[in-house]
Amino acid sequence: MRYLILFLLISYMIAKDMQVKYVVAYTVDIDWGGEIETVSEITAAPGYGKFHGQLNPKRWIFRLFGGQRGFIKVPGTENFLGYNAKRKRYWVTPPGKDPLFADMNWGDESDEETEEKEHTEEASVTIKAEEEDSNTQKGGKESWFIKIANDIFEDDDASPRIERTLNESIEEINGFRTKKWTTTIYTKNNQMIIEEWVVDELPLRDSLYAFISSTSEENNEFINFIDSIKFSSRDFILGVDSSYTIKKPDEIIVMAKLGIDSNNGWVQSALFEIKELYASSFDPLTFTIPEDFERIEIETDEKD
């Protein structure tokens, strides 16, 4: 018993001096916009949390709308510091405001912000759609993934066939030792291939989530949002055949590729991957705003 207590004490002391960084990327290739990549970096330590997001359109004509934003949890309080890396400014987020976009004036914005507003509106719509899709999927209704599958096979007379194979040979993906699932959904005219590289567990990500939860109860919703930024073969299978028997997998997806061979639909391909997941010594500078950023004041909503 003494050894168990000593082990737990040492583990706690190590955790207090540690921070975990988690980087995920999600790329979608769509007909009208080409490839658009979003990168989310989450860093957390006991009592500390930071989110940094990037939007990276690959087609040069849309790169104007790219940008970097984030927020930092102020230790010991319920406050968040939001920042806009492109404009080099930051703010204390008032209660009830979105820390990522609290600086955006949706009414009478300056000319400087007009272009960014267009980008932000697109990003906000995307986030809202993903949240709604996540909620409808839990309720058994049509999700974003189900809609893609339905669009691809809507003109087919025959029901799509589904084939799944597991390659248990170990393949290293971004430092993770994975097994690979390949799912093919096809008819004579249309085909969808989903490749998934999976692992049994990610202990470091569990530690990251525990750190995030310790900063604020509201951050549990943020964890759910992080988990929703991915796709799986199960989503698409249920989209074409709701009676198909496939249980929710216990494995964790570290990379997934979607390839579509069809003239239907507006998505050509998609990629999700965990790019980085590692622990390092706690560095308080990680959770600070750069000195050359200008502080701006955010107006609070006045109640009658």
Side-chain angles (χ1 to χ4, degrees), residues 37-247:
E37 178 191 48
T38 58
V39 180
S40 300
E41 300 180 10
I42 303 98
T43 308
Y48 294 79
K50 178 181 179 180
F51 170 81
H52 181 84
Q54 301 180 51
L55 180 66
N56 303 318
K58 300 299 179 69
R59 188 170 291 180
W60 69 269
I61 196 171
F62 294 112
R63 288 179 186 170
L64 178 66
F65 302 113
Q68 300 181 40
R69 286 175 171 267
F71 59 83
I72 297 171
K73 179 67 173 61
V74 180
T77 74
E78 291 298 315
N79 295 329
F80 290 87
L81 293 178
Y83 65 86
N84 182 334
K86 185 176 181 179
R87 305 295 184 194
K88 288 190 174 184
R89 60 191 185 190
Y90 75 98
W91 54 89
V92 177
T93 306
K97 290 276 191 177
D98 181 347
L100 275 180
F101 302 112
D103 65 321
M104 297 302 297
N105 186 342
W106 302 103
D108 183 24
E109 74 276 0
S110 64
D111 293 339
E112 183 186 54
E113 292 178 332
T114 301
E115 293 174 350
E116 187 175 0
K117 176 186 173 184
E118 295 174 1
H119 151 246
T120 304
E121 286 177 331
E122 292 179 2
S124 298
V125 168
T126 301
I127 292 172
K128 182 178 180 182
E130 287 174 349
E131 291 174 343
E132 290 175 350
D133 288 337
S134 177
N135 292 333
T136 55
Q137 189 174 5
K138 291 177 182 177
K141 299 179 181 179
E142 184 177 63
S143 74
W144 184 72
F145 304 106
I146 291 176
K147 187 177 187 311
I148 290 177
N150 286 337
D151 287 348
I152 291 171
F153 298 105
E154 64 178 352
D155 297 332
D156 288 295
D157 296 326
S159 298
R161 297 186 61 182
I162 301 170
E163 295 179 357
R164 281 172 57 80
T165 59
L166 173 63
N167 183 350
E168 296 199 34
S169 299
I170 299 299
E171 185 174 351
E172 187 163 317
I173 300 293
N174 294 343
F176 302 102
R177 293 173 58 80
T178 69
K179 296 178 292 186
K180 180 183 176 183
W181 280 99
T182 301
T183 302
T184 306
I185 306 173
Y186 65 97
T187 60
K188 182 179 180 180
N189 299 319
N190 302 291
Q191 179 175 266
M192 175 188 295
I193 298 177
I194 306 101
E195 299 172 282
E196 299 161 289
W197 288 262
V198 300
V199 296
D200 292 330
E201 58 182 2
L202 286 176
L204 271 181
R205 193 181 68 169
D206 295 339
S207 298
L208 176 94
Y209 287 176
F211 293 160
I212 293 175
S213 296
S214 71
T215 62
S216 172
E217 292 183 1
E218 295 181 357
N219 282 336
N220 289 325
E221 296 181 6
F222 178 54
I223 292 173
N224 292 334
F225 175 70
I226 296 171
D227 279 340
S228 73
I229 309 179
K230 62 176 180 290
F231 57 86
S232 72
S233 57
R234 183 174 181 271
D235 299 316
F236 295 106
I237 288 173
L238 295 178
V240 299
D241 186 354
S242 59
S243 64
Y244 191 91
T245 303
I246 177 172
K247 67 177 183 178

